[in-house]
Amino acid sequence: MTTIILAEKPSQARSYVQAFQNSTKKQGYFDVSDPVLPENTKVTFGFGHLVELATPDEYDSKYKKWALSNLPIFPEKYKFAVGADKKKQFGTVKELLNQADTIIIATDSDREGENIAWSIMTKSGIDLKSKILKRLWINSLEKEVILDGFKNLKDGWDYYPAYQEAQTRQISDWLVGMNGSPLYTLLLQKAGVKGIYSIGRVQTPTLYMIYQRDLAIKNFKPEPYFELNAKVSVDSKKFDAKLEPYKRFKDEKQLITFMDDKNVQKGNQDGLIKDVQKQQKKSSSPRLFSLSSLQSEINKRYHASASDTLKAVQLLYEAKLLTYPRTDCNYITDQEFSYLVDHLEAYSKLLTNQVSLTQVKPQARYVNGKKVQEHHAIIMTKTVPTTEKLNSLSKLEKQVYDMVLRTTLAMFTDPYEYEETTILTQIGQAIFKATGKVTTNQGWKLLFKMDVEKTDKTDKEETILPVIEKGQVVKADLSTDRNLTKAPVPFTEGTLITAMKTAGKTLDDEEAQAVLKDTEGIGTEATRANILDGLKKRGYLFIQKNKVHVSEQGMTLCKAVELEPLLTSPEMTAKWEVALKQIGQKKRTQENFLGQIQRFVQKLVAEVPEQLQQSESLTQQVTSQKMAENEAKKDAEIGICPICKQGKIIDKGNFYGCTNYKADQPCKFTLPKKWSDKTITKTIVKTLLTKGTTNKLKGFQSKKTGKEFSAKLVLKAGRLSFEF
């Protein structure tokens, strides 16, 4: 009897193998033995997506060249292919699966993990009904958790609907992309722009959300408004008060009418303290992290991208320090809470600022087994890192681990407590309100005093109101303040991840998001970072000072797609995500959903050509893009090539090179972006191209000694060298 454990990738396979008592490495797999395993067990692995959907040209060679006449492309049966660089490993996996009596699916414990495993098994051509299928479902790669998972394997067929859901998502994205991308690309090229224009079921509405925000900012016209405010004096102390209920006035005339009605005037007058209220208030610590809330927080604090944060969490998961990363849950079960309590002392030693961790009873805000479906919130594992281990982490990994550590430990601290004082002052017939706040117990906020600049404003400056009594007569100075309305704020990657999760309902407030019982988001926890990465790589988005904006090319695409609301609507995409989840819940069939997507694609193919032809705004945008591209081309040219004397030296991303690299007689001249660990800037390159040498530059580093040194750079006959 042979048992094959199928892991998602080599690193995951190694984590399993390290947990077992004995192992022998073979070509593409491991022989393993352990008391928790049957005899004759092997561990093999994919490289993530070992099997992927075939491209259209693998159905028919006519699809090699894009043509409108070939659309729509609807295969009768979808083909799956193995990439040339993965065929050797696939051959190994296929042979092992055919030998197997029992297959243990041990890919990532999520829908995509199911898709990867079942796609490999299906492509292998094995009779699945003749095999015993088991599922390893764990939240951590720690040895103890792995061994416990293998002792308590689940029925593999129970997860088949999750595979159907993931595969349906994959095919629907293929249908929209493989039809929409050639459709819009060919029509936009016909309209006069170059390049490939990628369309996606999730990426296009995401891009359009950013475009709409950019447009709202660009078209925003500040409007004046007036406020009526009071500075109240009691003894020698003063405090500010605002109109209660708060009211804005669109012009001075409206304000004066209000003041006349309330018998108040600008300047000094008497007032009366109508009420003084004091309340003791508490604030609970932040909720535990889902992937998207962690990505948002890390972006807000450290300006890291969503994909960089995901990579960091993944590496911390593989290092056995954090639990499973791709989770949309903010809760843990009693089981996780129990081990956290057992390790509190060890965790607390990792903190620079010591706090009292005395709240050791589970609270429903954080611990609720009913709310945990597939994976619990991201928390620390039982493995507490040593100082040496922490020092070996990258800067971002340290920041992510530290943020998860503090947020998790915060539920064991006291609540943040403060006394709130409200003073109501009557001036004429108008009431003005002042609110003051004094901290009585820092509680969980002590954990987040990592850097003063990033703590809440309320922590930095408290509003302390003077001691005053109801019925006291005071002096008040009324002012009429003119202000301007503010433009919407650009998206950051953090707020964009939140907007994707809430399908455009930009709920920045954590509590408001928690109210959404079934969030109808666009994309999934696992895919949102990749969506943003794809939009950046294609040049549709750019990041400036942590703000996300749409490029000229992105604007052109948005102008083209905005005539098809279903393609740009976050709400519609969210409804599709709900429908996909229903497949996983056996409430909807794959055929039903793909039929819906096919009808949508047919609608695009039928309507889009005429839409683009008649769109004046698109014509204007195409002209704008051409002008922007010409300007960018001029800006990119650093100087004349010193070798061919005809081409221009431009920034090619990882290096500087000649524009004549594809000429009949290609020019291969290049200059590096880094030289002895010093960044070679455009200014340095310009100097080298015009003068052949630079002044003495600091910041070079010797490869032999590691010491810094200064030298001139010299460019002679296309070769770069030092001059001391």
Side-chain angles (χ1 to χ4, degrees):
M1 298 287 280
T2 302
T3 298
I4 301 299
I5 298 168
L6 177 58
E8 190 160 316
K9 51 191 173 183
S11 61
Q12 191 180 52
R14 282 194 296 273
S15 291
Y16 298 151
V17 168
Q18 286 161 10
F20 302 140
Q21 283 185 2
N22 301 298
S23 66
T24 308
K25 191 176 188 306
K26 298 291 180 80
Q27 188 64 46
Y29 69 97
F30 298 85
D31 278 325
V32 291
S33 64
D34 192 274
V36 302
L37 300 172
E39 284 185 33
N40 195 19
T41 298
K42 303 174 195 298
V43 178
T44 190
F45 49 85
F47 297 138
H49 285 275
L50 206 56
V51 176
E52 297 192 82
L53 276 163
T55 52
D57 59 282
E58 291 180 65
Y59 293 89
D60 193 320
S61 59
K62 72 178 181 180
Y63 294 132
K64 280 185 179 177
K65 191 174 180 184
W66 283 0
L68 291 174
S69 57
N70 287 337
L71 302 179
I73 303 168
F74 294 151
E76 281 183 35
K77 191 178 178 186
Y78 292 93
K79 292 183 181 179
F80 291 82
V82 179
D85 58 335
K86 297 176 180 177
K87 281 186 175 171
K88 186 178 178 184
Q89 181 59 18
F90 177 74
T92 301
V93 175
K94 180 180 177 180
E95 188 179 334
L96 290 168
L97 292 177
N98 273 289
Q99 292 170 14
D101 298 290
T102 299
I103 298 170
I104 299 173
I105 298 167
T107 48
D108 274 358
S109 306
D110 60 15
R111 291 173 187 84
E112 209 46 52
E114 295 302 327
N115 192 13
I116 287 167
W118 287 85
S119 295
I120 291 170
M121 293 190 297
T122 306
K123 185 69 178 171
S124 297
I126 58 177
D127 179 6
L128 288 168
K129 298 282 185 186
S130 69
K131 312 284 184 184
I132 298 167
L133 295 186
K134 294 290 181 184
R135 203 355 162 160
L136 175 73
W137 197 272
I138 54 177
N139 273 303
S140 157
L141 290 177
E142 292 171 286
K143 180 179 177 178
E144 183 188 333
V145 176
I146 289 170
L147 293 177
D148 189 57
F150 276 102
K151 282 180 196 169
N152 297 285
L153 294 169
K154 299 172 185 291
D155 187 335
W157 285 101
D158 287 350
Y159 296 85
Y160 183 72
Y163 155 60
Q164 287 183 304
E165 176 191 333
Q167 191 195 62
T168 309
R169 181 178 277 108
Q170 186 184 15
I171 293 171
S172 66
D173 288 344
W174 188 97
L175 283 168
V176 174
M178 293 301 171
N179 286 286
S181 298
L183 174 67
Y184 277 95
T185 297
L186 293 169
L187 291 170
L188 284 168
Q189 285 175 354
K190 197 176 174 183
V193 289
K194 294 175 183 174
I196 304 295
Y197 287 83
S198 174
I199 297 294
R201 184 183 58 85
V202 178
Q203 74 172 32
T204 303
T206 301
L207 177 67
Y208 197 72
M209 271 201 298
I210 306 157
Y211 167 70
Q212 282 184 307
R213 178 65 62 91
D214 275 0
L215 212 58
I217 295 166
K218 183 184 173 185
N219 295 335
F220 179 78
K221 290 186 175 65
E223 292 181 3
Y225 67 91
F226 292 84
E227 288 182 321
L228 184 59
N229 296 316
K231 192 172 280 293
V232 181
S233 303
V234 51
D235 299 328
S236 59
K237 294 179 180 174
K238 293 180 179 180
F239 60 89
D240 294 318
K242 288 194 172 289
L243 200 56
E244 174 68 13
Y246 175 74
K247 186 174 170 65
R248 281 183 178 184
F249 303 93
K250 62 181 181 182
D251 53 37
E252 250 178 320
K253 186 181 174 185
Q254 193 184 48
L255 174 58
I256 289 164
T257 302
F258 177 85
M259 290 171 72
D260 288 344
D261 288 347
K262 297 294 183 182
N263 194 26
V264 296
Q265 59 273 338
K266 202 171 170 182
N268 290 313
Q269 53 224 282
D270 287 337
L272 178 72
I273 301 300
K274 286 288 286 181
D275 197 11
V276 179
Q277 298 168 359
K278 289 198 174 188
Q279 280 184 293
Q280 299 298 322
K281 291 197 169 183
K282 292 181 181 183
S283 163
S284 298
S285 69
R287 290 181 183 276
L288 301 176
F289 284 123
S290 66
L291 175 59
S292 54
S293 64
L294 180 58
Q295 286 168 320
S296 296
E297 185 62 28
I298 293 294
N299 176 262
K300 181 180 166 185
R301 279 185 175 268
Y302 306 114
H303 295 179
S305 72
S307 62
D308 284 346
T309 299
L310 175 54
K311 281 176 201 160
V313 192
Q314 179 68 27
L315 288 168
L316 289 164
Y317 168 66
E318 290 175 12
K320 306 172 179 60
L321 297 180
L322 290 184
T323 58
Y324 186 73
R326 293 170 180 82
T327 173
D328 60 359
C329 183
N330 299 96
Y331 296 90
I332 56 174
T333 70
D334 288 309
Q335 191 179 346
E336 288 81 50
F337 186 80
S338 177
Y339 87 65
L340 288 171
V341 170
D342 291 343
H343 291 76
L344 278 182
E345 191 179 339
Y347 295 135
S348 67
K349 287 176 182 173
L350 302 174
L351 298 170
T352 48
N353 41 350
Q354 292 303 308
V355 293
S356 177
L357 304 172
T358 55
Q359 304 292 326
V360 289
K361 286 190 177 176
Q363 299 168 66
R365 177 177 170 82
Y366 317 101
V367 186
N368 188 337
K370 289 177 183 175
K371 297 278 182 93
V372 180
Q373 292 176 344
E374 293 170 349
H375 296 284
H376 56 67
I378 300 170
I379 56 171
M380 303 81 70
T381 62
K382 297 172 192 172
T383 304
V384 182
T386 60
T387 305
E388 186 184 13
K389 180 66 181 175
L390 280 173
N391 290 338
S392 73
L393 301 176
S394 71
K395 185 180 178 183
L396 183 57
E397 285 166 39
K398 280 181 195 167
Q399 288 168 335
V400 168
Y401 185 81
D402 190 58
M403 184 54 61
V404 173
L405 173 75
R406 290 171 192 274
T407 302
T408 306
L409 293 184
M411 71 174 159
F412 296 101
T413 63
D414 293 335
Y416 168 63
E417 296 177 24
Y418 58 96
E419 182 183 77
E420 187 177 87
T421 304
T422 304
I423 299 175
L424 298 178
T425 307
Q426 182 172 338
I427 304 164
Q429 301 306 309
I431 301 291
F432 290 81
K433 177 180 167 183
T435 305
K437 181 174 163 182
V438 177
T439 298
T440 54
N441 182 359
Q442 283 278 1
W444 62 266
K445 289 208 174 191
L446 278 171
L447 276 167
F448 295 90
K449 297 282 187 186
M450 298 118 71
D451 42 12
V452 177
E453 293 151 25
K454 304 228 188 277
T455 51
D456 294 339
K457 287 182 184 175
T458 50
D459 292 350
K460 283 191 271 183
E461 48 182 276
E462 295 181 337
T463 309
I464 302 172
L465 296 175
V467 177
I468 203 164
E469 291 180 7
K470 185 178 176 180
Q472 199 167 336
V473 176
V474 292
K475 290 289 181 187
D477 182 10
L478 260 59
S479 61
T480 55
D481 302 326
R482 184 182 186 274
N483 295 304
L484 290 172
T485 53
K486 290 182 180 176
V489 180
F491 278 119
T492 63
E493 280 203 42
T495 57
L496 187 55
I497 286 280
T498 302
M500 290 174 78
K501 188 169 182 173
T502 57
K505 301 177 187 78
T506 48
L507 304 174
D508 297 325
D509 177 61
E510 179 206 357
E511 294 302 324
Q513 289 173 44
V515 171
L516 292 171
K517 290 193 173 88
D518 291 307
T519 306
E520 294 185 0
I522 62 176
T524 65
E525 297 289 317
T527 61
R528 288 179 194 123
N530 289 339
I531 293 293
L532 298 189
D533 257 11
L535 289 169
K536 284 189 279 186
K537 281 173 188 168
R538 292 183 177 102
Y540 302 154
L541 294 184
F542 64 93
I543 312 292
Q544 197 171 50
K545 294 182 179 176
N546 201 41
K547 303 292 190 292
V548 184
H549 297 287
V550 179
S551 67
E552 281 290 336
Q553 193 179 8
M555 278 191 251
T556 301
L557 183 53
C558 286
K559 282 283 182 192
V561 297
E562 69 185 354
L563 302 162
E564 276 296 339
L566 285 182
L567 199 51
T568 59
S569 164
E571 290 80 10
M572 187 63 226
T573 310
K575 282 175 183 168
W576 280 343
E577 293 293 354
V578 170
L580 284 163
K581 281 180 188 170
Q582 287 172 343
I583 294 168
Q585 296 159 353
K586 299 184 182 177
K587 293 176 184 174
R588 185 185 285 254
T589 65
Q590 186 180 73
E591 292 73 25
N592 171 280
F593 185 82
L594 293 179
Q596 189 179 350
I597 294 292
Q598 284 191 355
R599 287 191 291 277
F600 168 61
V601 168
Q602 282 171 325
K603 184 175 182 290
L604 289 181
V605 173
E607 293 176 359
V608 170
E610 193 177 343
Q611 286 174 349
L612 299 199
Q613 200 173 359
Q614 293 178 355
S615 173
E616 288 181 22
S617 64
L618 177 62
T619 305
Q620 290 168 2
Q621 176 55 36
V622 166
T623 305
S624 174
Q625 184 182 324
K626 284 180 182 174
M627 287 168 65
E629 285 171 352
N630 289 335
E631 288 299 316
K633 196 175 177 183
K634 284 178 191 173
D635 290 344
E637 292 172 359
I638 301 167
I640 303 292
C641 177
I643 302 301
C644 71
K645 310 290 184 189
Q646 292 175 337
K648 303 281 195 307
I649 301 303
I650 60 169
D651 185 338
K652 287 184 169 284
N654 296 323
F655 62 93
Y656 302 103
C658 181
T659 53
N660 270 359
Y661 73 103
K662 279 188 178 177
D664 292 338
Q665 293 184 323
C667 177
K668 300 289 177 70
F669 174 73
T670 61
L671 283 171
K673 281 279 183 85
K674 277 212 166 190
W675 186 259
S676 289
D677 216 41
K678 180 177 175 63
T679 300
I680 306 302
T681 64
K682 286 184 182 179
T683 306
I684 294 172
V685 173
K686 201 171 274 189
T687 305
L688 285 168
L689 295 175
T690 52
K691 297 181 180 178
T693 183
T694 67
N695 294 328
K696 193 171 261 194
L697 302 170
K698 293 179 182 178
F700 296 107
Q701 193 172 39
S702 167
K703 286 180 184 175
K704 288 183 181 177
T705 65
K707 290 182 179 177
E708 280 202 4
F709 65 90
S710 300
K712 288 182 180 181
L713 280 178
V714 178
L715 184 64
K716 209 168 187 179
R719 290 184 178 275
L720 198 59
S721 61
F722 288 119
E723 188 178 282
F724 296 95

